[in-house]
């Protein structure tokens, strides 16, 4: 994420995620989450939901690595996995009709976790 690094980058990413999540466009949740179970295995040799998770995780891992450059790859990977899983789970919650206040509450918890790093 150009211009943002470290924990500031993680928080910016989460803020942008929330802005999209509560927008009219983002209200129904992520198309990838909606389609991942429905279309799994329909393209021989390609699993787009796994690819989406890898890409999302890779972006988050870049931000986390900038926040924790001296903490080693195992901790970076664990924290990246935690953020990726949280956001993917939140996309399911969004799809089930969660309101802006609930979405904010969950993302606030993720912000607090990131602050403890």
């Amino acid at each position: 994420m150009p211009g943002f690094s470290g924990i500031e980058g993680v928080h910016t990413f989460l803020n942008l995620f929330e802005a999209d999540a509560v927008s009219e466009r983002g209200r129904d949740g992520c198309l990838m989450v909606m389609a991942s179970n429905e279309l799994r295995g329909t393209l021989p040799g390609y699993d787009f939901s796994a690819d989406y998770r890898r890409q999302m995780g890779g972006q988050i891992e870049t931000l986390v690595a900038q926040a924790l450059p001296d903490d080693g790859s195992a901790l970076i990977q664990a924290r990246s996995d935690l953020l990726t899983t949280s956001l993917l789970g939140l996309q399911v919650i969004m799809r089930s009709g969660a309101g802006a206040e609930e979405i904010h509450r969950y993302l606030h918890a993720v912000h607090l976790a990131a602050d403890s790093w």
Side-chain angles (χ1 to χ4, degrees), residues 2-65:
F4 298 99
S5 62
I7 292 299
E8 178 187 358
V10 171
H11 287 301
T12 299
F13 183 90
L14 294 171
N15 289 337
L16 292 170
F17 183 95
E18 181 172 358
D20 184 61
V22 299
S23 73
E24 192 63 37
R25 184 179 65 85
R27 214 66 183 130
D28 289 332
C30 175
L31 177 62
M32 292 300 296
V33 170
M34 292 168 32
S36 64
N37 288 329
E38 293 297 321
L39 299 177
R40 187 163 197 259
T42 60
L43 296 171
Y46 181 68
D47 184 349
F48 69 88
S49 60
D51 188 44
Y52 173 72
R53 290 191 309 271
R54 269 191 303 277
Q55 288 182 37
M56 182 181 196
Q59 294 297 315
I60 291 170
E61 187 174 341
T62 298
L63 293 171
V64 172

